[in-house]
Amino acid sequence: MKDRIYGGIETGGTKFVCGVGTAPDNIVKTQFATTSPDESIGKAIDFFKNNSDQEQLIAIGIASFGPVDLDKNSPTYGYITTTPKDSWSNISIVEKIRSQLSVPVVIDTDVNGAALGEQVWGAARGLDTFIYLTVGTGIGGGGIVNGGLMHGLLHPEMGHIRVPHDWEKDPYRGCCPFHGDCLEGLASGKAMELRWGQSPENLPAEHPAWELEAGYLASAINNFIYTISPQRIIVGGGLIKNPDLMPAVRQKVLESLNGYLHSEAITRDIDHYIVAPELGDLAGVIGALELAKRIRQGI
Ligand code: ZN
């Protein structure tokens, strides 16, 4: 009998990542650009059909951009709901995949998925309360509190919190279609590109864009530290590939906390408190795979 394997899908704002396997060192994966729902979901289904057979594939987990309906008692469970992404509103991603592959399918947010992957295999091993932020085209945050993935009325939307916006220093009005100058509206990759007229990867290290960016992210992290008291903060996403950004964020977080919290994890060891994901860009798809494993374990 062939070994059991699981499927994971990370649906991101710009790309889909799909994987089948059991662990980071035992996974076959692919990725492609996020286009229309039919095309992208169709490609994912084809990938699983081509890389597994029915008796092997036990379940599929999806770590999705949102907002997503995660209430299993809701008639729209597994739907992507009010997303600003063109044509993806009210898409029943869970049902589309379940009906084609005939296996159980579970969904959570992309950031909760990545958090789970980091807890099992990466930078959050041994922790029970931590957050995972992604700072890329958009900004999102999720994580685990007291051992459980963060859910609630809906699920956290940490990218849409309010952060101080000094209009004199930064006259850009923000790009969030719902809120204008929320965190995502001011500090996402999309906001950087619209504010400065060039893509963040083309902005040189000395450009004032980066100090502004570090300030917004530090304000947000300051708020998350005070509200959730995380044991660690993992920051992933495309923008942290600038090697100067994380040190600047750490410094500004220390300035913003201003000695109020007496934890050596923060005051003496902030380099290990605000960290990059150990699974790198694979955190989401590995986490999705872990979500799939948990359906069968009944968790
Ligand atoms: Zn917003």
Side-chain angles (χ1 to χ4, degrees), residues 165-174 186 195-196 212 216:
H165 179 194
D166 179 343
W167 286 85
E168 214 162 284
K169 196 164 106 187
D170 178 20
Y172 178 58
R173 59 200 288 273
L186 290 172
R195 181 193 286 109
W196 302 108
L212 194 64
Y216 288 134

Side-chain angles (χ1 to χ4, degrees), residues 159-160 176 178-180 182 184-185:
H160 297 271
C176 177
F178 289 89
H179 317 116
C182 65
E184 180 170 287

Side-chain angles (χ1 to χ4, degrees), residues 131-135 217 221 233-237 240 246 274-277:
I131 64 173
Y132 183 101
L133 297 175
T134 183
V135 187
L217 296 179
I221 287 173
I233 295 166
I234 304 171
V235 187
I240 65 146
M246 289 279 268
I274 302 174
V275 301

